[in-house]
Amino acid sequence: MQYLQWLSIFCEAVVVILGVLLAAQKKKSYGWCIALCFAIYVYYDAVKLAGLSVSQDFLYVIFFIATISILWAVGQIYRETK
């Protein structure tokens, strides 16, 4: 089942790229937040998959940043669609 983890990391990386393109080409600032959130997901999943030792406190902080980032992005998308 490890291939599912690799597939998940690949999909997350694609979302990072699309978020950057959304911000840079489409001029949607929430694209940066989406890219940041999923870049953190890529890092987190890669660390777990590789079995690296990373401070749990650090992981809590970056996961919180990812949550705030996607919350802001979804709020911006919601406001845009009114």
Side-chain angles (χ1 to χ4, degrees), residues 7-75:
L7 181 59
S8 178
I9 291 170
F10 174 77
C11 290
E12 291 164 355
V14 170
V15 173
V16 172
I17 293 166
L18 291 173
V20 169
L21 291 174
L22 188 62
Q25 292 181 353
K26 303 289 185 177
K27 308 295 186 222
K28 302 294 184 181
S29 61
Y30 52 76
W32 295 119
C33 291
I34 293 168
L36 173 62
C37 177
F38 279 85
I40 290 170
Y41 289 173
V42 168
Y43 174 79
Y44 180 86
D45 288 341
V47 163
K48 292 293 186 184
L49 187 63
L52 300 175
S53 178
V54 176
S55 164
Q56 195 64 37
D57 289 340
F58 176 72
L59 293 177
Y60 291 149
V61 169
I62 65 168
F63 229 80
F64 179 73
I65 292 168
T67 301
I68 295 302
S69 178
I70 203 66
L71 177 64
W72 188 87
V74 170

